[in-house]
């Protein structure tokens, strides 16, 4: 089983739609969770950290479910500029500071 | 956010030659830098963790003699792909983190093509 599993998509949605992605992880010792965004042929950029209580940043809401070992990202009122690949990332809060990346979910927002 | 640069952004080299990629943290001191590789439509794969002043820690399956890492200062880490082969063609990305912080700041990546 992969350490991080994401639906590769693509999710093709109209502008203004709400879209949600899930990501499951296999290592229950994981303690830090993130969503990164990666545009085509560019480096990943941190979108938001994911906290146990859930957190929101504008149109983006992230949730963590430790019992079921998944995190989610909800995007409301999709914009054309949201088209990108969204990477689920987790890490360990130890001295290694390593991050493990999912292969990403591709989102296409159409006019 | 912090700024990390990589140089070169794109390089084409012949099989058998070596290529050096530089990763610099421009506005902070990075005690730890990470080197990743990404193949098309695949996830970033951590290759090694680079610690300033000490030997790099390589992930399983990554040859340390093939991918030489040097982290000589708090703002610079280099990755040298030695005796490059076409299968080494990939997108190489570095990241840097501040001391006692989990957030990694990524460089813009280097696209290596070995002919």
């Amino acid at each position: 089983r992969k350490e991080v599993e994401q639906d590769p998509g693509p999710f093709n949605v109209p502008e203004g739609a709400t879209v949600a992605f899930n990501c499951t992880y296999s290592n229950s010792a994981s303690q830090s969770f993130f969503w990164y965004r990666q545009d085509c042929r560019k480096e990943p950029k941190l979108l938001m950290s994911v906290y146990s209580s859930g957190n929101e940043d504008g149109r983006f809401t992230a949730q963590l479910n430790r019992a079921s070992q998944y995190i989610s990202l909800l995007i409301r009122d999709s914009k054309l500029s949201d088209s990108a690949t969204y990477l689920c990332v987790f890490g360990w809060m130890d001295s290694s500071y390593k991050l493990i990346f999912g292969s990403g979910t591709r989102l296409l927002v159409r006019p | 956010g912090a700024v990390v640069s990589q140089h070169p952004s794109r390089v084409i080299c012949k099989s058998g030659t070596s290529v050096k990629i530089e990763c610099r943290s421009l506005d902070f001191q990075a005690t730890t830098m990470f080197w990743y590789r990404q193949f098309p439509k695949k996830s970033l794969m951590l290759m090694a963790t680079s610690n300033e002043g000490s030997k790099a820690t390589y992930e399983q399956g990554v040859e340390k003699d093939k991918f030489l890492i040097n982290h000589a200062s708090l703002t610079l880490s280099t990755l040298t792909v030695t005796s490059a082969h076409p299968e080494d063609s990939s997108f190489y990305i570095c990241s840097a983190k501040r001391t006692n912080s989990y957030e990694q700041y990524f460089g813009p990546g280097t696209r290596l093509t070995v002919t």
Side-chain angles (χ1 to χ4, degrees):
Chain A
R1 184 182 171 187
K2 289 183 182 177
E3 290 185 281
V4 184
E5 298 217 44
Q6 290 185 255
D7 181 342
F11 284 63
N12 192 320
V13 303
E15 245 183 313
T18 295
V19 62
F21 311 132
N22 279 346
C23 166
T24 58
Y25 60 94
S26 60
N27 192 323
S28 58
S30 308
Q31 294 192 36
S32 55
F33 304 88
F34 311 91
W35 283 102
Y36 276 73
R37 170 195 169 127
Q38 187 174 25
D39 292 291
C40 188
R41 302 174 79 85
K42 300 285 187 182
E43 78 277 19
K45 293 186 188 293
L46 179 64
L47 181 64
M48 60 197 302
S49 301
V50 186
Y51 303 118
S52 296
S53 54
N55 48 298
E56 190 174 301
D57 183 0
R59 297 180 294 108
F60 300 86
T61 301
Q63 298 274 356
L64 165 63
N65 185 317
R66 285 191 184 273
S68 301
Q69 294 185 205
Y70 76 84
I71 66 172
S72 63
L73 177 67
L74 180 79
I75 305 175
R76 289 182 299 277
D77 188 23
S78 300
K79 311 291 184 191
L80 295 177
S81 57
D82 293 334
S83 296
T85 297
Y86 291 83
L87 307 173
C88 165
V89 182
F90 73 86
W92 286 271
M93 297 183 84
D94 62 13
S95 59
S96 73
Y97 298 101
K98 287 184 190 179
L99 297 179
I100 304 298
F101 284 78
S103 54
T105 297
R106 191 162 168 227
L107 172 65
L108 300 172
V109 182
R110 62 181 188 271
Chain B
V3 180
V4 176
S5 70
Q6 262 184 261
H7 177 81
S9 59
R10 189 183 299 263
V11 58
I12 301 172
C13 70
K14 291 187 177 179
S15 194
T17 61
S18 294
V19 174
K20 181 187 281 189
I21 302 170
E22 292 186 350
C23 178
R24 292 181 186 273
S25 57
L26 299 183
D27 55 356
F28 69 100
Q29 293 185 329
T31 51
T32 305
M33 289 184 172
F34 301 88
W35 286 97
Y36 296 85
R37 181 165 59 179
Q38 186 177 34
F39 292 106
K41 302 194 180 197
K42 299 291 184 183
S43 61
L44 272 75
M45 296 298 297
L46 179 64
M47 299 175 66
T49 303
S50 168
N51 295 297
E52 187 267 337
S54 63
K55 289 183 180 179
T57 304
Y58 290 81
E59 294 300 301
Q60 194 172 11
V62 179
E63 297 176 58
K64 62 180 181 180
D65 295 329
K66 172 128 182 106
F67 299 100
L68 300 178
I69 291 172
N70 187 290
H71 192 158
S73 78
L74 287 171
T75 59
L76 173 65
S77 176
T78 60
L79 168 69
T80 301
V81 183
T82 62
S83 187
H85 291 288
E87 57 264 32
D88 297 325
S89 298
S90 188
F91 191 45
Y92 291 86
I93 309 176
C94 72
S95 70
K97 62 170 285 299
R98 302 174 195 269
T99 305
N100 297 325
S101 169
Y102 294 97
E103 187 169 351
Q104 293 185 23
Y105 301 94
F106 286 84
T110 297
R111 196 160 297 279
L112 170 64
T113 303
V114 185
T115 60

